[in-house]
Amino acid sequence: MTREQSVSEGDARGRSFFNEPDAAGLMHRAFTRSMGFDLGDMNRPMIGILNTYSEMNSCHAHFPELVAAVKRGVWQAGGFPLEFPTISLGEIYLTPTSMLWRNLAAMDTEEMIRGNPMDGVVVLCGCDKTTPAALMGVASADVPAILVSGGPMLNGHWRGETLGACTDCRRLTTEYRAGNLSDEEYMEVEENLVRSWGHCMVMGTASTMNSLTEALGMALPGNGAIPAVDSRRLLLAERAGRRIVAMAAEGLRPSRILTHEAMENAITLLCALGGSTNAVVHLPALAGRIGMDLPLALFDEISRRTPLLANVRPAGEYQMEDFFYAGGVSAILRQLLPLLHGETLTVTGRTLGENVAGSEPVDTQVIRSAESPLKVEGGLAILQGNLAPSGAVIKHAAASRHLLQHRGRAVVFGSIADLQERIDDPDLDVNPDDVLVLQNAGPVGGPGMPEVGNLPIPKKLLKRGVRDMVRISDARMSGTAFGTIVLHVAPEAAVGGPLALVRTGDEIELDVPGRRLHLSVGQEELARREAERNPAEPAYRRGYGRLFLDHVLQAPEGMDFDFLRGRDPVETVTQPKF
Ligand code: FES
């Protein structure tokens, strides 16, 4: 073969792969030709497009169009795009909880990037767990990468109300359970809630994590808020395709972008957005991949100094579509610049500060100025006390003000099944001032730490007009939920945390301003209860579930697997000769 007939030399992964001598190179080229590509294509930087499309994930229904846009951009910039799948985690379909598989998705992402000879990768994500899994996977593989999310859904509308998924799924179900909505009205809500594809359109976990990709520097400006069906989402995808080719040439790897300063920027944005408590699990997991600890105390410290600027549900009034029209993530980052590390590098090749220069909110009702914030503090608080020695989280921006300092009698549910069985029992001994406690719903106990922390208000109290109570658990909750809800109590009950020792009738004190969560039971009595404790049987004895139970870390460490922490950068590879 002459030089003209072969791929040119170079140390890029794709080029090395096609340039192998003898049978290896022949096979690599011949099988690639079978898809209709020639040596001119193989001479270009190989760009992977990781497509998490699945009909089991409605939030990603439009990904074929996004992939086509990324491919256009890659070809335009002189790259060679090849699409590949990984598992897709759809929040709605997966049982018992999509969180059980976030680490599996992150492994799939990392290993497919590692195993295939790509020089750069564009990762499509969007629904709750797909974005953190993408971040974790690309951080460990450390190949040049850009994240492109599917974008949020359009607002829902019903009888003059703006509807949001899934804040209104829960709010209107509560009204239905209370008898304030007819069967017909409830059906109308179902028909009008989800108007378009895309991820949930309030500041839930998906909107939060996709917005944070901009603060982290791992996505192009606009990624967080451009609606799924807006043509500008396709342009963003095309731009990502062009940019990743340049990033491959520059060798701009995630390790140069994901620094401690970038993580602090993400936490600052999280607080200013009133974002999802789930980010308090996902960001420590990401930090673990890059070899750093992200203590819960840092979230509290940053929240105390960061104003809440996004007037977006569930902490505010508006939704992601309005947030985009008001200026989106760039506008809020611009407001926050004095609190940010503006010098951090991003996938654009410019700094975060340069990316957002000139972005101003165009609607200060939706994106408040730093001088006129929604709240002077960010939306999150980290609690400590004898009930949560390793910490617990509350999104106080979405809580009832009158319950932020509260003392009440515990009403305890030992498991999710126990909660489902008894919560609406007319004979349940429960009063509005009580504190509902759910045990055994954490990473091991859930298993998978399901989003059940927003325990339903007992029906008998709903009928009396009660809409919020203090609720405490080792579970997570959907970022779209609201209420005075203490989450992520650690260590969890299933591994022997003090939450396991609470009994109905105990007094619990919640003091959010004092950051305290206290169980008023003497040490002697707690020791007696500990001696009587019977650990539950493991939920899984084989397969992935067993792997999960054996290796999952607690919530403050991000619920990653112990053996996945750290990174193992992909080097330029030479295929074995045979
Ligand atoms: Fe996918 Fe809400 S169901 S983001």
Side-chain angles (χ1 to χ4, degrees):
M1 185 182 297
T2 66
R3 288 288 297 115
E4 289 71 18
Q5 290 170 315
S6 182
V7 293
S8 56
E9 288 174 3
D11 62 356
R13 293 179 79 203
R15 207 169 278 163
S16 299
F17 176 77
F18 292 123
N19 220 22
E20 277 296 301
D22 305 324
L26 176 136
M27 288 165 67
H28 298 162
R29 293 188 297 271
F31 279 75
T32 305
R33 283 177 188 273
S34 77
M35 297 187 286
F37 298 114
D38 64 15
L39 292 177
D41 302 322
M42 294 178 230
N43 247 321
R44 296 161 168 240
M46 186 192 291
I47 302 298
I49 303 174
L50 192 163
N51 187 1
T52 47
Y53 169 80
S54 163
E55 286 186 338
M56 302 275 180
N57 185 354
S58 59
C59 299
H60 293 196
H62 55 311
F63 278 20
E65 286 77 16
L66 278 181
V67 168
V70 177
K71 277 186 184 169
R72 269 200 308 276
V74 173
W75 283 120
Q76 287 164 7
F80 176 31
L82 288 175
E83 177 186 347
F84 68 105
T86 59
I87 60 167
S88 183
L89 303 180
E91 202 62 22
I92 302 298
Y93 281 31
L94 282 167
T95 303
T97 167
S98 59
M99 189 63 174
L100 194 61
W101 294 282
R102 182 205 60 182
N103 298 346
L104 183 63
M107 286 173 77
D108 194 354
T109 301
E110 176 184 347
E111 296 307 326
M112 288 304 97
I113 294 172
R114 184 181 307 289
N116 288 292
M118 63 194 81
D119 298 301
V121 60
V122 176
V123 184
L124 300 193
C125 51
C127 194
D128 285 10
K129 305 304 175 297
T130 60
T131 303
L135 286 167
M136 291 159 71
V138 301
S140 287
D142 205 24
V143 163
I146 299 181
L147 270 64
V148 174
S149 92
M153 303 164 186
L154 297 178
N155 289 340
H157 293 284
W158 175 64
R159 297 191 179 194
E161 272 192 64
T162 299
L163 294 185
C166 246
T167 302
D168 287 315
C169 314
R170 296 184 177 83
R171 182 180 66 85
L172 294 172
T173 298
T174 300
E175 296 308 322
Y176 179 61
R177 291 175 69 235
N180 296 333
L181 231 61
S182 69
D183 288 346
E184 292 71 28
E185 287 170 322
Y186 196 56
M187 176 63 81
E188 283 180 27
V189 169
E190 181 181 313
E191 289 168 353
N192 290 284
L193 183 69
V194 182
R195 276 177 63 218
S196 76
W197 50 44
H199 61 71
C200 291
M201 68 296 227
V202 296
M203 193 55 78
T205 305
S207 298
T208 299
M209 291 307 300
N210 290 312
S211 297
L212 298 194
T213 60
E214 292 192 41
L216 287 166
M218 290 301 298
L220 297 177
N223 189 54
I226 298 172
V229 295
D230 194 301
S231 59
R232 283 164 284 189
R233 176 67 52 187
L234 292 173
L235 291 177
L236 178 93
E238 190 177 300
R239 271 206 304 276
R242 284 197 294 267
R243 177 62 196 146
I244 192 66
V245 178
M247 281 176 67
E250 294 161 10
L252 181 47
R253 293 178 181 241
S255 51
R256 290 177 57 200
I257 295 172
L258 291 171
T259 58
H260 194 270
E261 288 74 20
M263 300 299 296
E264 288 197 352
N265 286 344
I267 299 173
T268 302
L269 179 61
L270 169 69
C271 296
L273 293 173
S276 167
T277 46
N278 282 319
V280 185
V281 178
H282 297 316
L283 289 176
L286 175 61
R289 295 304 186 100
I290 49 183
M292 76 180 67
D293 288 325
L294 213 54
L296 290 183
L298 184 62
F299 286 83
D300 201 75
E301 184 189 316
I302 291 178
S303 188
R304 284 178 192 267
R305 68 172 184 239
T306 306
L308 176 61
L309 300 182
N311 189 4
V312 179
R313 300 175 80 197
E317 300 169 69
Y318 298 93
Q319 304 198 143
M320 289 305 286
E321 191 181 339
D322 316 299
F323 180 64
F324 171 61
Y325 302 143
V329 177
S330 289
I332 205 162
L333 285 172
R334 174 76 179 77
Q335 301 288 307
L336 288 170
L337 266 185
L339 298 174
L340 295 171
H341 303 282
E343 74 288 358
T344 53
L345 187 60
T346 74
V347 290
T348 62
R350 300 188 303 267
T351 65
L352 184 68
E354 288 167 344
N355 284 350
V356 304
S359 300
E360 293 292 341
V362 294
D363 184 340
T364 51
Q365 269 308 306
V366 183
I367 298 178
R368 299 293 188 88
S369 66
E371 295 71 41
S372 175
L374 212 57
K375 292 194 171 137
V376 289
E377 271 194 28
L380 296 169
I382 304 301
L383 308 171
Q384 299 278 345
N386 68 347
L387 193 47
S390 302
V393 179
I394 184 168
K395 185 174 179 174
H396 58 86
S400 301
R401 186 179 283 256
H402 72 281
L403 291 173
L404 293 178
Q405 282 178 300
H406 183 81
R407 220 179 252 273
R409 184 189 71 126
V411 175
V412 179
F413 301 91
S415 66
I416 297 166
D418 182 34
L419 172 76
Q420 286 168 334
E421 195 179 310
R422 293 196 296 125
I423 191 73
D424 286 337
D425 184 341
D427 294 330
L428 181 69
D429 178 16
V430 63
N431 294 295
D433 289 340
D434 289 341
V435 174
L436 303 180
V437 174
L438 173 63
Q439 299 163 326
N440 296 307
V444 172
M449 206 180 177
E451 292 184 334
V452 293
N454 50 319
L455 285 70
I457 304 295
K459 209 177 227 174
K460 63 196 276 186
L461 297 184
L462 281 177
K463 289 185 175 156
R464 287 169 52 189
V466 177
R467 291 294 180 270
D468 193 13
M469 296 171 72
V470 174
R471 289 160 271 178
I472 299 173
S473 74
D474 45 13
R476 295 175 302 118
M477 79 170 177
S478 165
T480 62
F482 64 94
T484 311
I485 300 168
V486 177
L487 302 155
H488 310 184
V489 169
E492 64 173 312
V495 300
L499 186 70
L501 307 180
V502 185
R503 300 286 179 268
T504 294
D506 292 347
E507 187 180 84
I508 291 179
E509 185 194 354
L510 169 67
D511 177 7
V512 176
R515 302 299 197 255
R516 192 171 126 91
L517 185 64
H518 185 74
L519 175 66
S520 298
V521 175
Q523 278 305 323
E524 215 170 289
E525 172 61 13
L526 289 177
R528 191 188 64 75
R529 292 179 189 178
E530 173 61 34
E532 284 177 357
R533 199 170 70 85
N534 282 327
E537 284 293 299
Y540 301 105
R541 294 205 173 275
R542 62 164 298 282
Y544 175 77
R546 173 69 186 272
L547 179 82
F548 182 93
L549 294 180
D550 286 351
H551 293 282
V552 70
L553 298 166
Q554 289 288 288
E557 296 160 293
M559 268 186 75
D560 203 359
F561 293 153
D562 48 11
F563 60 86
L564 288 176
R565 285 171 72 87
R567 70 174 138 224
D568 186 9
V570 170
E571 302 298 340
T572 300
V573 291
T574 304
Q575 298 297 311
K577 299 174 179 63
F578 54 88

